[in-house]
Amino acid sequence: MKATVDKDTCIGCGVCVDVCPQIFSMDQDDKAEAKDITVPGNIEESCQDAADQCPVEAIEIIK
């Protein structure tokens, strides 16, 4: 699975970074970004949880 963040939708709340810092970080514009990697199996659940908790649904999980 991979994660992507829609920068136009993101409000920069940082929930994804708090839930899954191994994949998500904040960029210089205070918007979330996802590492361009395949999410390791041991953190897939926390990555999905981060997407589920996004208040504006800016995170897409690609399986």
Side-chain angles (χ1 to χ4, degrees), residues 3-4 8 12 15 22-23 31 33 44 48-49 54 60:
T4 62
D8 293 330
V15 169
Q22 302 93 326
I23 298 299
K31 301 282 184 155
E33 61 185 2
E44 282 185 354
Q48 182 64 59
D49 191 30
C54 179
E60 180 181 5

Side-chain angles (χ1 to χ4, degrees), residues 33-48:
E33 61 185 2
K35 293 181 183 173
D36 189 22
I37 61 170
T38 299
V39 177
N42 64 327
I43 60 171
E44 282 185 354
E45 189 175 320
S46 65
C47 184
Q48 182 64 59

Side-chain angles (χ1 to χ4, degrees), residues 13-40:
C13 71
V15 169
C16 58
V17 177
D18 291 340
V19 174
C20 189
Q22 302 93 326
I23 298 299
F24 300 100
S25 61
M26 302 302 283
D27 68 10
Q28 66 274 11
D29 296 323
D30 290 326
K31 301 282 184 155
E33 61 185 2
K35 293 181 183 173
D36 189 22
I37 61 170
T38 299
V39 177

